[in-house]
Every structure is written in structure tokens, then in C-alpha cells.
């Protein structure tokens, strides 16, 4: 939660250079869900695949650094773009989608028992599940945008 808070303030201070409202909402929702899940000790498996999605952030930040430091023509930038897209689609599309299917198709009895077992209020559990669903939709939207950039070629990938 500390990194998300730091990054959120950084994004707000630099708004809209580092991201739009979608990025701000992503940080707020992820931090809130992390706090709820950590407080009640719930959904550790789901948190695992959610946090694995942050692997793509390493390459996103590297890309941003390269662009801001005048390395937009570096052959390394193409590799960083490829690694960003690959990790994004592997974790935030593939793993996240599999996780959502598992959560709602195979874990419903466990999910329904959490208020009694952990003491988490049903409203907070519903908020967490709703936010995970909204996060999945947001990642699909971002994936669509990344795919459009990939189809358009690396030269059209402009700095943020």
C-alpha cells in the first residue's frame, strides 16, 4: 500500500503527464482492496495473481525513463516495449482472466463463507470482488490500447 500511495501522489503531482483518471482510479482501488484484504486476511491467492500483474510495471517505468532521458531511438527501447507488452498480456490479461474465472466459477463456496470465517463485512467483500472485476475490465481496456500501439508500430508509441 505504501508504494501505491507514493506512486499515486507522484501521478497526481504530475497530472496528466504520468497518467489519466484511469491510472488514478487503478491506484486508489488497488490500495483500498489491499488494505481490506490485508486487514481481514482474505483472498491471498487472488492477491497473488493481482500483484503478479505489477511485473509489467518494471518495463513500463523503464520505457518511461528511456523516453524522458532522450533514448527514444535506442534499439533497447524496442526490446523494453516488447517485454512490457509481453508481461502485460501474460499477467494482466492471461493470469488475471484465469484468476477471475477461478474466483467466480470455482471459489464461490469459499467466497460466501468469508464473512463468517474472517469477519469481513459483506459490503467490503462485495466491494473487493467488484473492484477486482472493474480492474479486470480496466486491464482489458489498457490491453486494447497496447495492442493498437503494437499494431501501429513502435514509432507511433509516443512518450506519456
Amino acid at each position: 500500500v505504501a508504494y501505491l500511495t507514493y506512486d499515486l501522489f507522484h501521478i497526481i503531482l504530475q497530472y496528466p503527464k504520468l497518467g489519466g483518471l484511469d491510472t488514478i482510479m487503478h491506484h486508489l482501488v488497488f490500495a483500498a482492496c489491499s488494505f481490506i484484504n490485508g486487514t481481514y486476511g482474505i483472498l491471498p491467492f487472488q492477491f497473488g495473481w493481482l500483484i503478479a500483474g505489477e511485473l509489467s510495471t518494471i518495463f513500463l517505468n523503464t520505457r518511461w525513463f528511456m523516453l524522458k532521458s532522450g533514448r527514444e531511438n535506442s534499439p533497447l527501447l524496442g526490446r523494453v516495449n516488447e517485454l512490457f507488452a509481453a508481461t502485460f498480456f501474460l499477467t494482466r490479461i492471461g493470469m488475471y482472466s484465469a484468476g477471475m474465472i477461478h474466483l467466480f466459477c470455482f471459489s464461490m463456496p469459499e467466497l460466501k463463507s468469508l464473512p463468517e470465517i474472517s469477519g469481513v463485512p459483506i459490503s467490503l467483500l462485495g466491494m473487493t470482488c467488484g473492484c477486482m472485476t472493474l480492474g479486470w475490465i480496466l486491464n482489458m481496456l489498457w490491453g486494447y490500447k497496447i495492442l493498437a500501439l503494437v499494431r501501429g508500430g513502435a514509432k507511433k508509441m509516443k512518450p506519456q
Side-chain angles (χ1 to χ4, degrees), residues 1-144:
V1 176
Y3 170 76
L4 284 168
T5 304
Y6 163 78
D7 202 36
L8 177 62
F9 280 112
H10 187 121
I11 291 167
I12 291 170
L13 289 173
Q14 295 290 318
Y15 186 81
K17 293 178 186 176
L18 299 179
L21 289 177
D22 57 342
T23 305
I24 291 171
M25 289 306 300
H26 163 75
H27 281 73
L28 288 171
V29 166
F30 198 91
C33 289
S34 296
F35 181 77
I36 292 166
N37 293 0
T39 299
Y40 291 98
I42 60 172
L43 305 174
F45 177 68
Q46 289 75 15
F47 184 77
W49 49 259
L50 286 171
I51 202 70
E54 295 303 318
L55 177 64
S56 64
T57 303
I58 296 167
F59 301 107
L60 180 64
N61 289 344
T62 303
R63 177 181 184 277
W64 178 84
F65 174 78
M66 291 183 74
L67 292 171
K68 293 299 179 185
S69 61
R71 294 177 174 94
E72 60 273 347
N73 294 321
S74 169
L76 182 58
L77 182 60
R79 291 287 178 220
V80 170
N81 285 338
E82 290 169 0
L83 288 168
F84 168 65
T87 56
F88 186 94
F89 282 97
L90 176 69
T91 61
R92 292 184 182 233
I93 302 296
M95 192 180 293
Y96 202 139
S97 294
M100 292 299 288
I101 291 167
H102 183 271
L103 178 66
F104 291 117
C105 294
F106 301 106
S107 297
M108 284 308 287
E110 177 188 357
L111 199 58
K112 289 178 181 177
S113 71
L114 285 175
E116 184 179 326
I117 293 171
S118 70
V120 63
I122 292 173
S123 60
L124 294 181
L125 181 60
M127 186 184 105
T128 299
C129 291
C131 287
M132 283 192 292
T133 303
L134 291 174
W136 178 79
I137 293 168
L138 180 60
N139 280 311
M140 291 295 160
L141 174 66
W142 285 343
Y144 177 79

